């Protein structure tokens, strides 16, 4: 940017050039990617659950740090796929990595490089983008073990930087933001300053209910469940009426979601409605329905609804 003269004959201050870029967060399931994205953005844009593989498609969370707009792409956890849905999620994760300017590999320090983490490192060797390693949950691991873990990972892949953080407490997260803000090239921002996600509100609302579903039922509910927002009606009194359908594959699963005397579905609805009201900053009237759709995991339409490409093989 060029300097301009002010009305009093002096020079106006030169505006700081803006920077922007995309960061793909990849890693094994339950490494803490969604928690970290929400931490960076300062608001919930991706659902968090102890149940593995809760993130299914690439979610974008948008953060402003100093003069930089950083777009974080929260990808599904990478694991060995078994079903069509699994394959679509893993494909989505690697697709997100290919579209990014920088790849951030998040590793759970407690689990280390066992299993999926080791396979991801092997695959990353052929990825051309700059890569940074982030070791998460450092408050649960001895310092000497952290340094050993970092050394092994850097021996496998050439990382530009290594960070050690706790996504839950925020320890070390500002260091990552500083690094990204300084590393990205100068350029215009991709999104308006007040936008924190590229998810339509209908889809974000469905994700919120899916999270409450997992948190309430834990291991009782099989992984094969899906939530769709079917009706979104803005009302004259400033409130919004939302109708959502929870799809399961069998009648036995429907009974689990409903719970005894409807207790489970009521608790899920209450928790979901409360969070939606806080995010939307308006009253929410939420109505949940449970339907059985057998073998929905092989339905291309459901994949499109989730933002995934249906595997053809």
């Amino acid at each position: 940017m060029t300097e301009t003269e002010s009305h009093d004959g002096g020079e106006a201050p030169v505006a700081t050039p803006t920077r922007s870029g995309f960061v793909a967060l990849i890693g094994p399931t339950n490494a803490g990617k969604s928690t970290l994205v929400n931490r960076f953005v300062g608001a919930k844009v991706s659902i968090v659950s102890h149940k593995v593989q809760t993130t299914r498609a690439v979610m974008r969370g948008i953060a402003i740090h100093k003069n930089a707009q950083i777009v974080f792409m929260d990808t599904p956890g990478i694991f060995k796929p078994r079903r069509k849905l699994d394959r679509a999620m893993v494909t989505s994760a690697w697709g997100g990595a290919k579209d990014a300017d920088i790849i951030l590999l998040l590793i759970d320090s407690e689990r280390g490089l066992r299993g999926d983490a080791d396979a991801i490192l092997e695959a990353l060797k052929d990825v051309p983008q700059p890569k940074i390693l982030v070791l998460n949950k450092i408050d649960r691991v001895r310092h000497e073990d952290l340094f050993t873990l970092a050394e092994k990972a850097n021996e496998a892949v050439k990382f530009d930087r290594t960070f050690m953080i706790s996504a839950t407490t925020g320890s070390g997260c500002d260091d990552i933001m500083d690094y990204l803000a300084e590393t990205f090239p100068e350029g215009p921002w991709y999104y308006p300053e007040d936008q924190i996600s590229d998810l339509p509100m209908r889809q974000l609302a469905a994700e919120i209910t899916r999270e409450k579903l997992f948190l309430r039922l834990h291991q009782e509910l099989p992984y094969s469940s899906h939530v769709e927002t079917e009706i979104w009606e803005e009302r004259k009194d400033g409130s919004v009426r939302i109708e959502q359908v929870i799809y399961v594959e069998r009648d036995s699963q429907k009974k689990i979601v409903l719970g005894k005397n409807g207790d489970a579905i009521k608790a899920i609805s209450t928790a979901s409605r409360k969070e939606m009201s806080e995010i939307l900053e308006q009253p929410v009237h939420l109505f949940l329905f449970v339907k059985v759709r057998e073998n929905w995991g092989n339905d291309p339409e459901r994949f499109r609804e989730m933002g995934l490409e249906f595997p053809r093989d």
Side-chain angles (χ1 to χ4, degrees):
M1 292 186 182
T2 59
E3 294 180 349
T4 58
E5 291 189 357
S6 63
H7 292 299
D8 61 4
E11 290 183 343
V14 178
T16 304
T18 57
R19 298 174 181 270
S20 57
F22 288 81
V23 180
L25 274 74
I26 67 170
T29 57
N30 267 7
K33 295 185 296 299
S34 296
T35 301
L36 186 57
V37 168
N38 293 339
R39 166 72 61 181
F40 284 146
V41 174
K44 176 173 285 190
V45 293
S46 190
I47 72 171
V48 179
S49 156
H50 294 301
K51 198 175 181 74
V52 299
Q53 304 156 20
T54 47
T55 299
R56 288 177 173 169
V58 175
M59 309 287 183
R60 290 180 178 86
I62 305 157
I64 306 296
H65 188 72
K66 297 180 178 178
N67 62 320
Q69 185 178 75
I70 307 169
V71 184
F72 292 99
M73 305 160 68
D74 180 14
T75 63
I78 297 174
F79 55 98
K80 186 175 181 180
R82 295 185 299 274
R83 303 160 296 178
K84 285 185 184 295
L85 180 57
D86 296 342
R87 297 207 305 275
M89 289 163 57
V90 171
T91 299
S92 175
W94 283 114
K98 292 176 182 176
D99 292 337
D101 299 302
I102 293 176
I103 294 174
L104 186 160
L105 172 62
L106 190 66
I107 296 293
D108 180 337
S109 299
E110 282 190 299
R111 288 186 294 180
L113 303 182
R114 298 189 298 273
D116 294 328
D118 189 53
I120 294 170
L121 283 172
E122 185 64 31
L124 272 179
K125 293 178 181 179
D126 299 324
V127 176
Q129 290 100 319
K131 296 171 279 288
I132 64 176
L133 172 68
V134 177
L135 302 182
N136 190 23
K137 306 179 184 179
I138 60 171
D139 48 326
R140 304 180 187 179
V141 181
R142 296 185 307 171
H143 283 194
E144 52 266 38
D145 293 335
L146 284 172
F147 290 118
T148 300
L149 177 59
E151 186 177 8
K152 288 183 179 179
N154 277 275
E155 286 175 358
V157 174
K158 180 176 174 54
F159 290 101
D160 291 53
R161 286 287 297 272
T162 297
F163 296 91
M164 300 182 184
I165 69 158
S166 169
T168 302
T169 67
S171 174
C173 292
D174 284 344
D175 295 334
I176 299 176
M177 294 293 276
D178 288 341
Y179 173 77
L180 294 173
E182 295 166 1
T183 302
F184 282 136
E186 294 182 11
W189 290 354
Y190 294 101
Y191 298 93
E193 185 173 358
D194 59 350
Q195 186 171 343
I196 62 171
S197 174
D198 69 341
L199 270 187
M201 286 310 303
R202 293 172 66 104
Q203 189 175 345
L204 179 58
E207 287 292 289
I208 289 171
T209 298
R210 191 161 65 92
E211 178 189 55
K212 305 312 175 192
L213 190 69
F214 287 161
L215 292 176
R216 170 73 185 189
L217 300 176
H218 302 289
Q219 299 302 318
E220 293 180 70
L221 183 69
Y223 179 61
S224 297
S225 60
H226 176 56
V227 180
E228 291 183 16
T229 301
E230 295 203 333
I231 294 177
W232 184 290
E233 179 187 338
E234 298 284 347
R235 305 177 68 171
K236 293 180 180 179
D237 62 2
S239 65
V240 58
R241 176 189 174 93
I242 301 172
E243 292 187 13
Q244 296 179 326
V245 177
I246 300 171
Y247 288 104
V248 294
E249 290 189 313
R250 293 187 294 277
D251 281 319
S252 59
Q253 297 169 4
K254 180 177 179 178
K255 293 177 181 177
I256 292 173
V257 175
L258 292 175
K260 186 177 181 180
N261 299 320
D263 289 346
I265 195 70
K266 289 176 184 175
I268 293 164
S269 179
T270 299
S272 187
R273 181 174 61 250
K274 181 176 183 295
E275 185 159 319
M276 288 180 197
S277 296
E278 292 172 354
I279 291 175
L280 294 172
E281 297 182 340
Q282 65 186 122
V284 171
H285 306 283
L286 178 63
F287 299 88
L288 299 181
F289 305 91
V290 186
K291 295 183 180 180
V292 176
R293 177 173 279 158
E294 293 183 5
N295 204 27
W296 73 261
N298 289 314
D299 182 356
E301 183 60 33
R302 303 283 73 75
F303 280 67
R304 284 191 290 271
E305 182 72 24
M306 289 184 283
L308 295 171
E309 184 174 340
F310 185 73
R312 295 299 175 184
D313 53 349

